[in-house]
Amino acid sequence: MSPYQGLPTPNRRMFLRTLLGTGAALGLSACASAAAGGPALSTGAALPTEVPSGTGLRIASSLGAQQLQLQLSGLIGKIPFAVSSWPNIGAGPDVINAFRANSLDLANNAGIPPIQAHFQGYDARIVAINLTRKPSYLFATRPHSDIQSVAQFAGKKLAFSQGQAQGVVLLRALHQAGLKDKDVQLVPLTSNQFLTALAAGQVDVAPLGISQAPAYLNQYGADGAHTVTTDVVDLLNLLWAPAGVLADPARAAAIAAFVPIWAQGLVWVYENPAVWEQEYYVKSQKISAEQAHQVTQLSNKPLLPPSWDEAIAWEQQTVDLLAEGGFVKSFRAETLFDRRFEHLAAAAVPAEYRS
């Protein structure tokens, strides 16, 4: 029997110990609203532009996507510093742990991990924003389910990962449907456990990334698994880095040089879907060409805004939603953004990708 079967709805501390680790959860009591120590970061200072010789960064490449994207596009040759490693790290809690362990300098996540890091007392800042205006996640049901709407989530077991985008997408969907977290059973899992929990019927619903949903439905759709359609989006796709890294002029300059390359890589993938389907999804992720095409059809057009005002407002809404549910303490979301980097991504792409 699975250890999650029949699991009661946990309290807030149980969520934190499950998702963040016991040590992190204990530390929250003392420093939930405190900034992490380390080198002082002055975001009022000018952004360094010269990348000294010998500078290197460790850049997250979840499932190898970031590195492959830059290799296929040829943009990897434009990076003016050494990338000493491309760690396969993607989930927010894993990225935060890597930041804390000083084994990662830059990562690509949604809006929730920086909020979670702040709540843990770890100081990291957002340095680039890509807006995703179409849903990045679908709500998938277990096999033999009759759930057809978010309103029918009431009383059901829902896979919930507090420290990841999937968790906030779920909370936003519940809020939109007039439900509170107390109206459902939130089952604490990390996103890499969602598929197994769904297939085994340990949860009734889980938010799946658009790259996961086609394969799940192809396997379990005949048994009654299906998706519940919503217009809930996860607006922010971002780059972020520890404050200590950004306080180092050499690494700050390297990140400033990388942001335009990252933005151009997003555009390249969008403009070359057939190549990306074959090289990434089919060859690397081992899904069929048909499934790969389904994924790219759902993908968002990159939008690199010259102003971060909308992103900051969205992040504040997320903070407020989490605080209302008792998951974090409220704070000013603007403190998560290093606006010295604000103009870099938009300036690197054609006008059609700026708004």
Side-chain angles (χ1 to χ4, degrees):
M1 177 180 291
S2 165
Y4 302 107
Q5 195 158 357
L7 186 70
T9 303
N11 60 29
R12 297 289 178 252
R13 290 295 176 191
M14 180 63 75
F15 273 128
L16 296 174
R17 289 192 177 97
T18 300
L19 298 174
L20 306 179
T22 302
L26 292 174
L28 291 176
S29 300
C31 61
S33 62
L41 173 62
S42 174
T43 55
L47 185 64
T49 57
E50 294 293 327
V51 182
S53 176
T55 301
L57 290 179
R58 297 154 299 179
I59 302 174
S61 181
S62 179
L63 301 177
Q66 181 68 83
Q67 184 180 13
L68 181 62
Q69 177 189 112
L70 298 180
Q71 288 173 336
L72 293 174
S73 64
L75 290 166
I76 201 164
K78 295 185 177 181
I79 299 177
F81 54 86
V83 180
S84 56
S85 64
W86 298 91
N88 178 15
I89 303 174
D94 295 336
V95 167
I96 294 171
N97 287 338
F99 282 166
R100 285 185 178 278
N102 191 31
S103 60
L104 186 67
D105 298 312
L106 186 66
N108 181 193
N109 286 100
I112 180 61
I115 294 172
Q116 198 69 35
H118 179 91
F119 182 54
Q120 294 181 38
Y122 187 77
D123 193 1
R125 307 297 173 86
I126 296 165
V127 297
I129 291 291
N130 172 35
L131 300 180
T132 55
R133 298 205 183 276
K134 293 196 300 184
S136 301
Y137 297 94
L138 304 174
F139 290 105
T141 72
R142 61 170 174 79
H144 312 294
S145 172
D146 59 359
I147 295 174
Q148 299 295 331
S149 69
V150 176
Q152 293 177 319
F153 288 5
K156 303 299 184 183
K157 294 180 181 179
L158 311 180
F160 179 69
S161 179
Q162 178 182 321
Q164 297 182 259
Q166 293 92 329
V168 173
V169 168
L170 176 59
L171 291 179
R172 282 185 178 273
L174 294 175
H175 180 77
Q176 185 172 289
L179 297 174
K180 296 184 180 298
D181 60 287
K182 67 181 181 181
D183 298 323
V184 300
Q185 298 181 57
L186 298 177
V187 180
L189 300 168
T190 53
S191 61
N192 59 359
Q193 298 171 316
F194 285 3
L195 284 172
T196 301
L198 273 176
Q202 294 157 3
V203 295
D204 296 297
V205 175
L208 298 184
I210 59 173
S211 63
Q212 295 176 298
Y216 174 73
L217 294 177
N218 287 343
Q219 185 170 359
Y220 295 102
D223 296 323
H226 55 274
T227 58
V228 175
T229 302
T230 76
D231 59 0
V232 177
V233 300
D234 180 32
L235 186 69
L236 304 187
N237 171 32
L238 56 85
L239 291 180
W240 63 314
V245 171
L246 296 173
D248 174 3
R251 287 185 290 176
I255 291 173
F258 183 78
V259 167
I261 295 170
W262 172 76
Q264 292 164 3
L266 295 174
V267 170
W268 182 90
V269 168
Y270 183 77
E271 293 182 346
N272 295 273
V275 178
W276 190 242
E277 288 170 16
Q278 182 63 28
E279 296 297 324
Y280 180 65
Y281 289 114
V282 175
K283 290 186 179 180
S284 175
Q285 300 306 299
K286 310 302 181 185
I287 67 174
S288 70
E290 180 182 0
Q291 291 170 346
H293 186 64
Q294 290 173 334
V295 172
T296 57
Q297 288 294 104
L298 294 171
S299 297
N300 277 272
K301 175 182 178 180
L303 293 173
L304 294 308
S307 167
W308 288 354
D309 288 350
E310 181 183 3
I312 292 170
W314 179 271
E315 194 79 334
Q316 187 65 59
Q317 290 175 8
T318 302
V319 170
D320 294 342
L321 179 63
L322 290 169
E324 181 183 339
F327 297 105
V328 303
K329 292 184 181 295
S330 186
F331 66 95
R332 285 197 314 116
E334 187 170 8
T335 62
L336 299 175
F337 295 76
D338 188 337
R339 300 192 79 158
R340 297 178 300 166
F341 294 82
E342 186 170 13
H343 64 288
L344 296 176
V349 299
E352 65 184 290
Y353 295 105
R354 297 176 195 157
S355 62

